[in-house]
Amino acid sequence: MQKAREYSEEEIYGMLEPYIAEWFRRKYGHFTPPQRYAIVEIAKKRNILICAPTGSGKTFACFLGILNYLCRLNASGKLEDRVYCLYISPLKALGNDIRRNLEEPLREISEVLRERQGVELGIRIAVRTGDTTQAERQKMLKKPPHILITTPETAAIVLNAPKFREHLRKLEFVVVDEIHELADSKRGAHLSITLERLQHFCENEFVRIGMSATISPLEEVAKFLVGCENDEKGELKPRPCLIADVSFAKKLDVRVVSPGSFSFSPQETAEAEDAWDLTSALYERVREFVERHRSTLVFTNTRSGAERVSYKLKRLLDCGEDVGTHHSSLSREVRLAVEEGLKAGRMKAVVCSSSLELGIDIGALDFCVLIGSPKSSTRLIQRVGRSGHSLKRTAKGCLVVTDLDDLVECAVLAKRASERKLDRVQIVGCALDVLAQHLVGFALERKWSVEEVFNIVRKAYPYRNLRKEQLISVLRYLSGKYSELESVKVYPKIWFDEKEGVFGRKKNVRGIYMAHIGTIPSESSVQVYQKSPRKWIGEIDEPFLERLERGDIFVLGGKTYKFLHADGLRAFVEPCEGLPPTIPSWVGEMLPLEYDSALDVGRFRAEMERRMEDAANKHGKNWRNAVKSWLKREYRLEDEAAEDIIAYFERQKMFLGVIPTHKRIVVEHFTDDLHRKNIIFHALFGRRTLDALSRAFAFALSRKFNMNVSVTLNDNGFILRVPREISVRDAVEMLKKEVRSENVEELLRKSVQNTELFKRRFRHCAVRGLMVLKQYKGFDIGVGKQQRSSSSILEIVRKIDGFPIVEETFREILEEVFDIEHVKEVLRGIERGEIEIKVVETPFPSPFAHNLVALQASDVILMESRRELLLQLHRKVLEYIKGGAESSPKI
């Protein structure tokens, strides 16, 4: 991987056709940074990854060299009726934007050409997605576009369309836009094999161009884009790729805003305690920002949050039509209307979830407001980067915080964003369900040798470490070697002669394959029934059901129920009044704090602790001013927000004696009203890492002491609830011995194998791997029936050692739901003594634990009661500190 060099304006104009150069001078005058790096390299047919901010001219950086090449062919009469460039976007709407953004300049270039030479420009552009009509497809078949805009799924469909694929045989350019949306997901694994199959089909090596506004590490993403080739020794090595990193070309102005003070002292009045109810103040701050700017995008972290904020803003601003709502649960028509309203300048504000993070053209925005932490510096830059839609303008935004933990997190993320520190993506692993889908696609083309397909698939970067035994295990499954599967209606999709090492198609499989291309799982609401007497209670989302284990207690319709089991899309429960829930009902919607950002929160805590101690030694009682000056200077915090952080850390230090950091896990415990011990682990390694670590710890404890252990989790730690008689120090010592880097993967496999999480993820993998069908002979098969089928299949394949779809389910959970590599990294840090574990005895939860404790109770108490619980805990801490307790917490 090499860095691309910057070309001068003269060099770029010199390689352009004169009439294109004239048009560009008239319209733009100058080339933007990404254009100076990319246009010439693409014209020279070199692979390149372009990382540049929104509004920086990435589209022309990518396409101007291609358009120039097509125009040159057109002028010389050599432009053929075939596809020269395949543009792949993760979003259909983004593809439509690209077509509009290319058709206008082509029309203008054509006018210049007509003026100068009297020649017409005959370059065609078309969009082909699942929405494209049969008539439009037929038109493309007869007269193919020179630039075809599509999605990863449709690209795979086109590859298996016998007639149209011939138009791709001489393909010369492939563009993958918003590549960060694909690199760490199964859509990316799917696309990577599609590109290698396409490359094998094409006569010549095509140029690969990747684009993103925010992604890291660039070298890994570049490898994902270009895949691998064989060197002289026949060994795999990444294809060459240039990297044009101009992500710093646009200025970013992000501030952290607090709606009021989150702190008070015991001496303050009851009115001061109302400062803790900051909901109204939060909406007022958002209203102020909206009124101050011409157009504002307001981001929330959930769809329900977007609806709430939008409703409140409409009432506060008294201009309902000028405030829009945008999220993935709304109809396509509603979303398009909002996007067009923004672009046309008719919208004063739009409240959205993550649906407008990507590069859909929504015109020039003035400002972005983020309510609560976006949980990732990368996501923060993506969101704020939607404002100031040109390189000359600064992208401006603010984070409106919701509590003290959110304040600390947002301060750290804002600094990371200003320093352009991105969270690293983890390239998706070797997904065997995706491989199964593509092997059927291979078989539809012709008879293949296993060796040939093995060599093609391994060139896809996610599959570079694929073992031949894995490929053969998938071929065995697809060819019906496990005859017992026919009893649950899983039939062969291919034939496979293992002795000769060849495979090919079965009859009547093309329709199944075409209907199931892709990786995005179907999801639905789960109906909740009381077991006895049987009656319908309500419904929950599938992601929430994934979190439930037998015996878990949750709230629905204001009452508590114990989860018994699920059958398809039905969950069966029994009432259990008086018992607190073990899992909040909204937990499935939470965005996870990413690993790299979490470590920086830990570093911030460590630095705060050091500066507080140093300032106290140097300035005595006036130490707070020194720390406050540092916070305001380095983190650009308002005076009140800086004071809140200082008070928060001071109380934690005075109460607990120690601050949890990225190098120090602090364990404290308290006994609740039902005499159960709650062990609190303060740890900062990202929620996916903590999710896995807490499950491994809970499984080890339950196995050692033969008891049930419930888990409560957030981004700053987790609580394990155990019987009162358990010694915390003994339990921690046992966990250090029993949960280790070399065995944690096996522990996690055992801990999840009988959970709803595993059952749901198995269904997703089984549908991708064509074991469970979601459509047959034109009829849709409901998600509930899919789940029942997958449950029956799972009972059989569990008994088959190393069955590929079962193994893939484990891999998906460990690598994509959890973060197994960072779990191992944390455990290795503990084993080497680089991360210490301190056990502290306390009379009640420390300040840093309050949100976790409130989360534990969040489904049995109203919002007002939750605030009262936090206030009670806060008062206890203040009284404990003020009263000078007889003994400090024991460490």
Side-chain angles (χ1 to χ4, degrees):
M1 303 296 126
Q2 285 183 297
K3 288 184 178 179
R5 85 168 176 88
E6 186 174 11
Y7 288 83
S8 67
E9 301 254 328
E10 293 73 24
E11 287 176 297
I12 304 172
Y13 278 124
M15 55 77 58
L16 293 175
E17 294 294 294
Y19 54 91
I20 294 179
E22 181 183 332
W23 163 79
F24 196 90
R25 278 196 181 95
R26 280 187 200 172
K27 182 150 187 173
Y28 298 104
H30 297 285
F31 294 101
T32 64
Q35 292 165 358
R36 291 198 295 271
Y37 279 91
I39 290 172
V40 175
E41 301 294 7
I42 293 170
K44 290 180 178 179
K45 296 200 168 181
R46 292 175 178 166
N47 299 328
I48 190 167
L49 174 64
I50 307 164
C51 186
T54 301
S56 62
K58 281 201 301 291
T59 302
F60 274 131
C62 164
F63 277 110
L64 198 58
I66 297 172
L67 292 176
N68 190 72
Y69 174 67
L70 295 176
C71 288
R72 188 177 294 155
L73 290 175
N74 181 68
S76 60
K78 295 179 181 178
L79 187 66
E80 300 174 20
D81 282 341
R82 61 181 174 88
V83 178
Y84 285 81
C85 173
L86 187 66
Y87 168 92
I88 299 170
S89 158
L91 289 179
K92 293 178 188 176
L94 193 54
N96 290 323
D97 280 344
I98 291 294
R99 178 176 61 183
R100 285 193 294 269
N101 293 339
L102 288 178
E103 283 176 343
E104 183 183 348
L106 275 176
R107 189 169 55 252
E108 293 168 350
I109 291 169
S110 184
E111 289 172 4
V112 176
L113 184 60
R114 199 180 304 118
E115 286 173 17
R116 292 185 56 160
Q117 301 177 20
V119 177
E120 289 296 324
L121 197 61
I123 296 172
R124 297 186 297 275
I125 302 169
V127 175
R128 178 164 175 170
T129 67
D131 296 333
T132 306
T133 65
Q134 189 61 37
E136 289 173 305
R137 292 178 198 173
Q138 287 299 316
K139 187 179 176 182
M140 287 182 211
L141 186 59
K142 293 173 184 174
K143 201 80 168 172
H146 301 111
I147 297 174
L148 178 61
I149 298 167
T150 189
T151 61
E153 292 74 23
T154 304
I157 289 172
V158 166
L159 184 57
N160 268 100
K163 293 179 181 177
F164 190 86
R165 63 182 267 156
E166 289 302 318
H167 293 312
L168 299 170
R169 191 172 286 280
K170 295 181 181 179
L171 186 69
E172 297 184 53
F173 303 93
V174 171
V175 181
V176 182
D177 203 354
E178 303 289 356
I179 195 169
H180 63 272
E181 276 295 302
L182 299 169
D184 63 349
S185 71
K186 287 194 175 182
R187 288 186 86 193
H190 197 282
L191 176 62
S192 70
I193 298 182
T194 297
L195 293 180
E196 292 308 326
R197 287 176 61 195
L198 186 58
Q199 183 59 77
H200 186 78
F201 170 75
C202 290
E203 291 181 359
N204 299 297
E205 190 105 347
F206 50 72
V207 181
R208 304 192 194 203
I209 303 153
M211 294 194 289
S212 175
T214 46
I215 197 159
S216 174
L218 289 171
E219 291 76 14
E220 276 292 291
V221 178
K223 291 174 186 175
F224 167 78
L225 170 69
V226 298
C228 303
E229 62 185 2
N230 295 108
D231 62 16
E232 310 80 47
K233 297 179 181 178
E235 295 178 356
L236 287 177
K237 66 172 185 179
R239 293 186 180 98
C241 184
L242 296 168
I243 296 173
D245 182 10
V246 287
S247 54
F248 311 134
K250 187 175 177 181
K251 291 181 180 178
L252 193 71
D253 183 1
V254 185
R255 292 185 178 273
V256 177
V257 174
S258 177
S261 178
F262 294 100
S263 295
F264 67 92
S265 68
Q267 291 81 20
E268 291 183 61
T269 63
E271 286 78 13
E273 296 181 14
D274 289 339
W276 276 55
D277 184 16
L278 298 173
T279 308
S280 298
L282 184 148
Y283 285 123
E284 278 298 319
R285 292 303 295 265
V286 175
R287 181 187 64 78
E288 287 171 19
F289 288 121
V290 170
E291 287 186 334
R292 202 181 302 164
H293 297 92
R294 186 183 59 83
S295 58
T296 303
L297 202 53
V298 181
F299 283 98
T300 66
N301 287 337
T302 63
R303 289 164 292 180
S304 56
E307 292 287 356
R308 276 197 312 273
V309 174
S310 178
Y311 172 76
K312 190 73 175 178
L313 264 185
K314 286 175 182 178
R315 297 187 67 180
L316 284 172
L317 293 167
D318 195 25
C319 56
E321 294 301 313
D322 296 341
V323 177
T325 311
H326 193 288
H327 57 73
S328 58
S329 293
L330 294 170
S331 70
R332 183 169 176 266
E333 291 73 21
V334 170
R335 295 198 308 271
L336 281 174
V338 170
E339 290 162 22
E340 290 299 324
L342 260 180
K343 204 182 304 182
R346 295 192 301 269
M347 291 286 186
K348 182 72 174 169
V350 169
V351 186
C352 63
S353 58
S354 58
S355 57
L356 287 178
E357 278 178 15
L358 293 187
I360 299 169
D361 185 6
I362 50 176
L365 282 169
D366 288 350
F367 199 71
C368 287
V369 175
L370 282 64
I371 298 178
S373 167
K375 301 298 177 182
S376 155
S377 57
T378 303
R379 192 176 291 113
L380 172 54
I381 293 170
Q382 283 169 350
R383 291 181 173 184
V384 175
R386 302 297 274 148
S387 66
H389 200 81
S390 75
L391 274 180
K392 294 177 182 178
R393 295 180 62 191
T394 299
K396 292 183 178 181
C398 71
L399 293 149
V400 183
V401 303
T402 57
D403 59 40
L404 285 166
D405 286 332
D406 199 47
L407 172 57
V408 171
E409 195 174 296
C410 287
V412 172
L413 291 182
K415 186 169 175 61
R416 277 177 61 84
S418 66
E419 295 171 352
R420 303 287 174 160
K421 290 171 70 176
L422 304 179
D423 293 277
R424 294 166 293 170
V425 300
Q426 292 173 287
I427 302 298
V428 65
C430 180
L432 297 182
D433 52 352
V434 171
L435 176 61
Q437 197 177 119
H438 270 290
L439 289 175
V440 175
F442 272 106
L444 289 172
E445 295 178 31
R446 60 176 172 86
K447 182 172 87 172
W448 292 85
S449 77
V450 172
E451 194 65 33
E452 187 179 11
V453 167
F454 181 60
N455 290 331
I456 292 170
V457 171
R458 285 180 70 234
K459 288 180 180 179
Y461 191 65
Y463 292 88
R464 63 198 181 280
N465 297 320
L466 177 72
R467 302 190 310 277
K468 191 172 287 186
E469 312 89 78
Q470 291 176 299
L471 175 64
I472 289 171
S473 76
V474 178
L475 288 169
R476 284 174 182 157
Y477 140 61
L478 287 171
S479 60
K481 296 298 182 188
Y482 306 105
S483 57
E484 57 266 49
L485 285 172
E486 291 195 6
S487 66
V488 283
K489 300 181 180 178
V490 178
Y491 301 109
K493 310 295 186 300
I494 64 171
W495 60 261
F496 174 37
D497 187 328
E498 194 166 344
K499 189 175 180 181
E500 286 192 31
V502 292
F503 70 95
R505 65 178 289 182
K506 285 269 188 182
K507 289 182 180 180
N508 304 320
V509 175
R510 179 175 292 277
I512 291 174
Y513 174 74
M514 289 299 192
H516 290 76
I517 282 178
T519 62
I520 301 171
S522 303
E523 290 195 342
S524 182
S525 295
V526 177
Q527 303 304 308
V528 180
Y529 288 87
Q530 185 173 300
K531 183 89 173 179
S532 180
R534 181 156 175 161
K535 66 175 181 177
W536 182 76
I537 305 296
E539 60 182 39
I540 56 176
D541 292 332
E542 275 202 81
F544 176 61
L545 182 62
E546 281 189 355
R547 301 285 310 178
L548 291 176
E549 295 185 21
R550 188 182 294 272
D552 267 335
I553 298 167
F554 65 99
V555 173
L556 187 60
K559 296 180 179 179
T560 50
Y561 296 94
K562 180 183 287 184
F563 174 65
L564 301 176
H565 65 91
D567 179 14
L569 286 181
R570 293 184 176 188
F572 293 94
V573 300
E574 64 180 19
C576 54
E577 289 302 316
L579 291 178
T582 57
I583 183 167
S585 61
W586 44 266
V587 74
E589 279 196 290
M590 293 192 297
L591 286 173
L593 180 63
E594 297 294 341
Y595 179 77
D596 293 329
S597 289
L599 287 186
D600 267 0
V601 174
R603 292 186 184 99
F604 173 82
R605 285 184 175 186
E607 183 66 10
M608 271 293 292
E609 184 177 35
R610 186 187 69 78
R611 284 186 176 271
M612 286 166 64
E613 290 170 356
D614 289 352
N617 291 333
K618 190 173 181 180
H619 302 287
K621 293 181 179 179
N622 296 320
W623 65 269
R624 289 176 188 79
N625 289 334
V627 178
K628 185 163 76 170
S629 297
W630 169 71
L631 284 171
K632 291 172 70 175
R633 182 179 67 252
E634 292 296 319
Y635 292 88
R636 302 178 68 197
L637 293 174
E638 297 171 335
D639 201 76
E640 198 170 50
E643 287 177 354
D644 273 355
I645 288 178
I646 292 168
Y648 190 35
F649 275 72
E650 181 186 16
R651 287 161 185 168
Q652 177 72 17
K653 182 76 171 176
M654 292 177 73
F655 179 78
L656 203 62
V658 65
I659 299 288
T661 71
H662 64 303
K663 292 292 187 184
R664 182 192 297 142
I665 298 172
V666 175
V667 182
E668 59 172 299
H669 65 86
F670 71 97
T671 303
D672 61 26
D673 294 339
L674 295 174
H675 308 293
R676 294 169 302 188
K677 193 165 285 183
N678 294 265
I679 309 173
I680 303 170
F681 288 77
H682 296 272
L684 288 156
F685 305 109
R687 175 126 49 82
R688 288 168 55 232
T689 304
L690 294 184
D691 194 353
L693 202 58
S694 63
R695 283 177 186 262
F697 281 2
F699 181 74
L701 279 171
S702 62
R703 192 168 63 172
K704 181 76 173 178
F705 297 105
N706 192 27
M707 61 182 180
N708 289 326
V709 179
S710 69
V711 179
T712 301
L713 171 77
N714 74 1
D715 292 308
N716 297 316
F718 53 89
I719 301 176
L720 303 181
R721 183 182 279 162
V722 299
R724 188 178 184 181
E725 59 271 15
I726 297 294
S727 163
V728 174
R729 291 185 184 277
D730 290 347
V732 170
E733 287 305 310
M734 184 279 294
L735 290 173
K736 287 164 72 174
K737 292 175 184 174
E738 297 290 326
V739 183
R740 301 185 64 79
S741 55
E742 63 267 18
N743 75 342
V744 67
E745 191 166 327
E746 187 58 34
L747 282 175
L748 285 169
R749 284 172 69 105
K750 289 177 180 176
S751 75
V752 302
Q753 63 185 352
N754 294 315
T755 62
E756 289 301 320
L757 169 64
F758 191 88
K759 293 174 189 174
R760 252 65 200 169
R761 294 289 168 158
F762 176 79
R763 186 194 87 219
H764 297 169
C765 294
V767 171
R768 289 188 203 101
L770 308 181
M771 290 190 84
V772 173
L773 302 184
K774 58 184 178 182
Q775 192 183 91
Y776 188 63
K777 292 185 177 180
F779 293 96
D780 290 336
I781 298 171
V783 177
K785 193 169 183 180
Q786 292 173 34
Q787 185 63 47
R788 286 191 291 276
S789 296
S790 73
S791 297
S792 302
I793 293 167
L794 183 56
E795 289 303 309
I796 292 173
V797 296
R798 277 189 196 278
K799 300 166 188 173
I800 302 173
D801 189 42
F803 190 79
I805 305 302
V806 172
E807 289 302 305
E808 174 54 28
T809 306
F810 278 121
R811 189 208 64 79
E812 180 180 311
I813 291 171
L814 290 171
E815 295 181 15
E816 296 175 35
V817 178
F818 301 154
D819 186 353
I820 188 63
E821 288 309 310
H822 285 135
V823 171
K824 291 177 180 177
E825 191 176 309
V826 169
L827 290 171
R828 283 193 290 268
I830 294 170
E831 290 155 14
R832 291 194 293 257
E834 295 165 1
I835 299 174
E836 64 173 328
I837 299 181
K838 279 188 176 294
V839 180
V840 185
E841 294 180 17
T842 60
F844 38 80
S846 69
F848 281 13
H850 291 179
N851 275 335
L852 253 175
V853 174
L855 179 64
Q856 219 179 25
S858 63
D859 258 356
V860 283
I861 56 176
L862 299 172
M863 186 59 72
E864 293 80 4
S865 303
R866 181 180 182 274
R867 182 167 60 91
E868 184 55 37
L869 171 62
L870 287 168
L871 283 167
Q872 285 177 7
L873 291 170
H874 194 65
R875 286 193 203 99
K876 283 184 178 180
V877 168
L878 293 177
E879 289 164 4
Y880 182 86
I881 293 169
K882 183 189 174 190
E886 293 180 8
S887 60
S888 299
K890 295 174 184 176
I891 299 176

